[in-house]
Amino acid sequence: MENTEDKTRVSKNSGSENLREDAKEIRKKARTFFSRLLNIREDTDRESTVEAVQKDISFKGHNAWILIFSIFVASIGLNVSSTAVVIGAMLISPLMGPIVGIGMAVAINDVDTLKRSFVNLGIMVGLSVLTATIYFFISPVKNETPELVARTYPTILDVLVAIFGGLALIVAKTKKGTIASVILGVAIATALMPPLCTVGYGIANARWEYALGALYLFSINAVFIALSTFVVSKLLGFPLVKYANSKRRKRTAQIASTVAIIVMIPSVVLFVKLLRQQVFESKATEFIENTVRYSGTETLKSTSDYKAKTIDVYMIGNTIPAATITTWRERLGEIEALKEAQLVVHQGNDQSQDINQLSTVVRSGILEELYVKNQEVLQNKDRRIELLESELSKYRGDNFSFVNLSKEAKINYENIEEIGYSNLITTNFQKTDTIPTFTVIWNNKLRNNELASQQEKFENWMRVRLDLDTLAIKNVR
């Protein structure tokens, strides 16, 4: 008996060992698979990448003219709010070169390349803003378009696009045989050109908040593209530039590290700030939709201000009790991202906060929303009325042109002398029905058998022509 138990125990231990061995083998194969799938070191051409980056930094001759023309194209696209035109301008813009050069230069401690990149980037930015300012100054169209407004301040999405776009760009550049389609895609996604055009619009029209906001957006995109280039270059082990003087190399390394830290710290701070703002706004919207509800009232408009930490809700209808508003505020404090926010409820029938006392912008927004809602309701009712009228006409049988029908009847049946139409209302005292009725006067020279044949054919033709089951025809000779 003991022998049997020992054998069973040994068998179980052996089975467990086999499972562990199989698991180790699977993990090993999985690591090998993903290592081969995601490894980019073997296919990285470091020397050619550095040469290509340094070549793209240069800004003179053809590049200068390409930049000027692309700025004009982008400005026109923003001016007329054409996304397609703006994308075309981004494809031909040479702005990427110096920005990638800065990231690469910091990564490999190349002071000369770093200086050249900063100088060329400064010239490019200056020329771009000058060209855009000239265009918007002479342009007769001064309106703020959605494409322009969208480039006046960075959001968390802009930062994320710049980070991942920059990573995609440098990875594509480091591959043997550069992937041009990726570089073009990054040029569109990171949108370096439109913000500079918006800066020109702000300067030309004295809209300094637009100019500063757009310049801020451009700076964020440029910083994160350069930062992505720096990180990938370090991870791929790009060799450091060697200097004959070891002191100079050490000093260069210190300068490069300082520049990297100066760039990284504000960028990380901005990223965290924008992330918190985005979370605040999304949570505020979610809170208003799910919590701020009361029977007999409707939310007309809601706004959230991250800086002031306020959430304003404009409501109309029945007066909301103070206890209900207090409950909403308590629930607001339970949400981590909104615990410091203050909920302000504006009620339309409250004399102290009458809707007429709201700001002009808010009132116009509310009226616009109400107008749009009423228009939608009216359009839906109109469509329903048209549908019902169409169905009713089909039911009554008058959904046709009597003039055209009579002409067709005369062409097909030349012995018809006269034709009339009316709706005959009948009842059996239980229900009332409307029957389309045609009165047809035939040529009295027709023989009886020929007349009967013509009348039968005419009735069949009318039923098919009008697609009616209930149809009455009175024949007169």
Side-chain angles (χ1 to χ4, degrees):
M1 187 73 176
E2 290 179 4
N3 241 352
T4 306
E5 288 179 358
D6 290 342
K7 287 181 180 178
T8 304
R9 198 176 294 114
V10 169
S11 176
K12 286 182 178 178
N13 291 336
S14 176
S16 298
E17 288 293 329
N18 289 337
L19 286 174
R20 279 195 290 270
E21 289 296 325
D22 290 343
K24 287 181 181 177
E25 187 67 23
I26 291 171
R27 283 198 297 270
K28 183 179 178 182
K29 288 183 178 180
R31 278 198 301 268
T32 304
F33 169 75
F34 283 109
S35 176
R36 290 176 180 174
L37 178 67
L38 302 175
N39 182 30
I40 59 175
R41 285 178 172 270
E42 294 180 3
D43 205 24
T44 298
D45 190 346
R46 292 166 180 79
E47 292 182 3
S48 298
T49 300
V50 174
E51 289 178 7
V53 170
Q54 291 176 341
K55 183 180 177 182
D56 289 341
I57 292 170
S58 178
F59 179 72
K60 59 182 180 180
H62 292 80
N63 279 349
W65 283 108
I66 291 172
L67 179 65
I68 291 171
F69 295 145
S70 64
I71 283 288
F72 273 117
V73 172
S75 298
I76 294 169
L78 294 173
N79 210 188
V80 299
S81 197
S82 172
T83 305
V85 175
V86 175
I87 289 174
M90 288 188 279
L91 284 174
I92 60 177
S93 168
L95 274 171
M96 285 286 190
I99 298 172
V100 175
I102 291 171
M104 179 71 72
V106 174
I108 64 177
N109 293 347
D110 190 345
V111 174
D112 294 333
T113 301
L114 183 62
K115 289 179 180 177
R116 200 156 59 90
S117 297
F118 271 120
V119 170
N120 281 278
L121 179 61
I123 295 172
M124 281 188 174
V125 170
L127 185 60
S128 299
V129 172
L130 178 63
T131 305
T133 303
I134 293 171
Y135 169 80
F136 283 108
F137 186 76
I138 63 176
S139 173
V141 182
K142 307 292 183 182
N143 297 338
E144 300 170 6
T145 63
E147 288 287 337
L148 275 169
V149 175
R151 270 81 182 192
T152 56
Y153 193 78
T155 64
I156 188 64
L157 295 178
D158 294 313
V159 174
L160 292 174
V161 167
I163 291 172
F164 293 109
L167 291 171
L169 175 65
I170 188 59
V171 168
K173 276 185 170 290
T174 57
K175 186 182 182 300
K176 293 176 182 177
T178 303
I179 309 173
S181 60
V182 174
I183 295 174
L184 293 176
V186 172
I188 296 172
T190 52
L192 291 169
M193 182 68 67
L196 292 179
C197 296
T198 307
V199 173
Y201 172 83
I203 294 172
N205 295 281
R207 298 297 300 271
W208 307 114
E209 70 279 9
Y210 277 24
L212 293 175
L215 186 61
Y216 189 29
L217 174 58
F218 171 80
S219 302
I220 293 305
N221 285 344
V223 164
F224 278 102
I225 291 171
L227 187 59
S228 300
T229 303
F230 170 81
V231 171
V232 172
S233 300
K234 283 293 187 185
L235 291 175
L236 293 179
F238 275 70
L240 301 178
V241 173
K242 296 180 179 179
Y243 296 97
N245 188 335
S246 59
K247 288 184 179 179
R248 186 184 177 191
R249 177 182 176 180
K250 185 178 180 180
R251 185 161 52 84
T252 303
Q254 290 174 345
I255 293 172
S257 301
T258 303
V259 171
I261 293 171
I262 291 172
V263 167
M264 287 175 66
I265 292 176
S267 302
V268 172
V269 171
L270 172 70
F271 179 82
V272 173
K273 179 184 175 183
L274 290 175
L275 180 61
R276 287 177 178 172
Q277 180 177 346
Q278 192 72 36
V279 171
F280 178 88
E281 292 174 353
S282 61
K283 288 292 183 182
T285 303
E286 184 180 339
F287 173 78
I288 292 168
E289 290 177 352
N290 298 333
T291 305
V292 182
R293 293 180 179 178
Y294 189 76
S295 178
T297 66
E298 183 180 356
T299 302
L300 296 178
K301 193 177 184 69
S302 61
T303 59
S304 58
D305 190 332
Y306 174 72
K307 292 181 180 179
K309 292 291 189 293
T310 58
I311 300 173
D312 291 271
V313 183
Y314 300 90
M315 308 189 78
I316 194 168
N318 297 334
T319 302
I320 304 171
T324 302
I325 297 175
T326 302
T327 303
W328 291 346
R329 287 171 179 162
E330 289 173 357
R331 291 181 183 176
L332 183 69
E334 295 172 1
I335 302 173
E336 182 64 26
L338 305 176
K339 62 183 181 180
E340 296 179 2
Q342 179 184 2
L343 177 65
V344 181
V345 179
H346 304 269
Q347 300 186 62
N349 56 359
D350 186 350
Q351 295 303 316
S352 62
Q353 291 181 333
D354 192 82
I355 197 167
N356 292 323
Q357 296 175 1
L358 300 178
S359 68
T360 304
V361 175
V362 172
R363 280 191 282 119
S364 62
I366 291 172
L367 292 173
E368 183 180 350
E369 289 182 12
L370 286 174
Y371 175 77
V372 170
K373 287 182 180 179
N374 288 334
Q375 285 294 105
E376 290 176 355
V377 171
L378 289 173
Q379 288 175 1
N380 289 335
K381 287 184 177 179
D382 288 342
R383 283 194 288 268
R384 290 179 62 187
I385 290 170
E386 288 177 6
L387 178 63
L388 290 172
E389 286 181 344
S390 175
E391 291 297 320
L392 185 61
S393 296
K394 182 184 287 188
Y395 175 74
R396 289 200 314 253
D398 58 1
N399 190 22
F400 64 92
S401 171
F402 177 72
V403 174
N404 292 335
L405 181 69
S406 59
K407 290 179 180 178
E408 289 181 35
K410 184 63 177 175
I411 292 171
N412 293 327
Y413 303 94
E414 58 184 13
N415 290 310
I416 292 178
E417 297 290 339
E418 190 177 323
I419 187 170
Y421 166 75
S422 64
N423 281 314
L424 179 65
I425 300 175
T426 63
T427 181
N428 59 1
F429 304 105
Q430 292 181 352
K431 67 173 185 177
T432 303
D433 199 2
T434 302
I435 301 174
T437 304
F438 290 87
T439 303
V440 184
I441 300 177
W442 296 87
N443 190 331
N444 55 12
K445 294 181 180 180
L446 284 173
R447 291 191 297 271
N448 290 337
N449 59 347
E450 188 177 356
L451 177 62
S453 174
Q454 288 282 310
Q455 290 173 346
E456 183 180 357
K457 286 182 179 180
F458 177 76
E459 184 173 348
N460 293 334
W461 175 75
M462 288 290 285
R463 291 186 186 279
V464 174
R465 171 67 174 75
L466 299 179
D467 191 21
L468 291 173
D469 295 328
T470 56
L471 178 70
I473 296 178
K474 296 181 178 180
N475 294 296
V476 179
R477 187 172 180 179

